Amino acid sequence: MSSAADPLAPLAGLPGVSDSVDSVRKAVDRVYGHRVMRRRSGEIASEAALRGARGSAALSGADWALEEVRRRTDFGSEPQARAVGAALRLTAEAGQLLSIWRQSPMRVLARLHLVASGSTPATADAFAPSAIEGDTVGRPRLAGEPVDEPLIDRPLPSADEVAGRLDGLSRLIIAGGSSPALITASVVHGELLALRPFGTYNGLVARAAERIVLINSGLDPKAICPAEVGHAEQGAQAYVAAFEGYVSGTAEGMAAWIAHCGRAIELGSRESMAVCEALQRGAA
């Protein structure tokens, strides 16, 4: 798709967005250029996944210390533990869905919600929603179905609006485009957060989808720059304020949201740089 036909192309011209794109690229390149990456990239990716999951869970109300996440094995006993477990499963699953994302984003989103919910498919299709009658897992919500979503307290779009906007988002992803990965990832993240298409775990799914875009775009192919770390580090209040800019639809608001997401990637990159330095010193 040419730049002129890319519906996200105008976002690149918003004030400050080009600077954010350049800053993110430099931050990511610094991590990939670290000498430790040549021989221990797998360790760095594993650590980034753990820290990313911890950050995403923190924004869903489970702000656990990293070492607590690292040592725990039981994630089904109470709501915070379930949120952390869901985040860990999602970061592990994201890298397995890259080849499907560009062909069928809705199948991937269904799978992400199944994984977050800890559900196993009732059929041989690993991407099929549960066949249990009345089950809401792995499918967009229907009219009148409630949503339990920590942090985001905005009126819910109707089920019809959700269906229509998800279809538009899916078409956008399948069509591809020339927009920088930061812009696409920010829009996917913001749109899923705005729609809250599932009954639960929408924030976790939105951040996992952002992760998939960043990996699949080639910006962060080894998943070593966890944006979730940066979202959490900037704090829940800043996250919600930036998201309000996204839902406003204004040029200023969209630019602020993209800049916030860019800063999150930069902070995630900085975290992985620290891991690289620790590995180089033999301290990790």
Side-chain angles (χ1 to χ4, degrees):
M1 177 182 287
S2 68
S3 176
D6 185 349
L8 300 185
L11 297 178
L14 295 178
V17 169
S18 179
D19 290 341
S20 291
V21 169
D22 290 344
S23 187
V24 164
R25 177 78 267 176
K26 290 174 183 176
V28 172
D29 284 348
R30 280 195 292 272
V31 184
Y32 276 84
H34 197 285
R35 61 193 304 177
V36 169
M37 277 294 295
R38 290 195 294 270
R39 51 194 172 82
R40 303 183 74 174
S41 62
E43 293 173 68
I44 297 162
S46 294
E47 189 65 19
L50 182 72
R51 295 176 186 226
R54 193 218 73 82
S56 192
L59 289 173
S60 286
D63 192 2
W64 288 12
L66 180 63
E67 290 311 312
E68 176 70 3
V69 178
R70 198 188 302 279
R71 75 168 186 84
R72 281 285 288 266
T73 56
D74 173 21
F75 296 104
S77 56
E78 44 86 20
Q80 285 198 14
R82 289 196 292 272
V84 174
L88 287 166
R89 291 190 297 273
L90 284 171
T91 55
E93 186 75 9
Q96 310 302 313
L97 302 174
L98 303 179
S99 63
I100 303 166
W101 175 251
R102 286 293 294 271
Q103 283 75 45
S104 184
M106 286 307 303
R107 291 183 73 209
V108 170
L109 292 176
R111 175 64 180 172
L112 290 174
H113 191 241
L114 282 164
V115 168
S117 302
S119 301
T120 54
T123 71
D125 183 354
F127 295 86
S130 173
I132 300 173
E133 186 175 0
D135 198 343
T136 63
V137 174
R139 64 159 175 79
R141 57 185 167 82
L142 304 177
E145 291 180 343
V147 171
D148 176 16
E149 185 54 47
L151 195 59
I152 303 302
D153 183 20
R154 288 189 57 83
L156 287 169
S158 70
D160 286 344
E161 181 179 352
V162 169
R165 287 171 63 176
L166 282 177
D167 181 67
L169 184 64
S170 180
R171 291 174 182 271
L172 180 74
I173 294 163
I174 292 169
S178 58
S179 294
L182 169 61
I183 293 176
T184 305
S186 300
V187 169
V188 168
H189 182 171
E191 189 69 357
L192 291 173
L193 207 57
L195 295 178
R196 283 150 290 161
F198 303 110
T200 54
Y201 297 122
N202 288 288
L204 292 174
V205 168
R207 291 184 288 275
E210 178 186 52
R211 167 180 282 264
I212 288 172
V213 174
L214 295 173
I215 299 169
N216 219 18
S217 67
L219 176 66
D220 182 20
K222 295 185 179 180
I224 59 171
C225 301
E228 304 96 327
V229 167
H231 286 304
E233 187 171 333
Q234 292 177 92
Q237 186 174 354
Y239 183 75
V240 172
F243 170 67
E244 289 292 331
Y246 177 85
V247 295
S248 76
T250 65
E252 181 182 5
M254 290 296 295
W257 171 247
I258 294 168
H260 182 90
C261 291
R263 181 61 178 156
I265 300 168
E266 291 180 56
L267 290 169
S269 301
R270 187 181 69 179
E271 184 95 346
S272 287
M273 277 293 288
V275 173
C276 288
E277 291 295 325
L279 289 170
Q280 184 167 278
R281 294 192 307 267

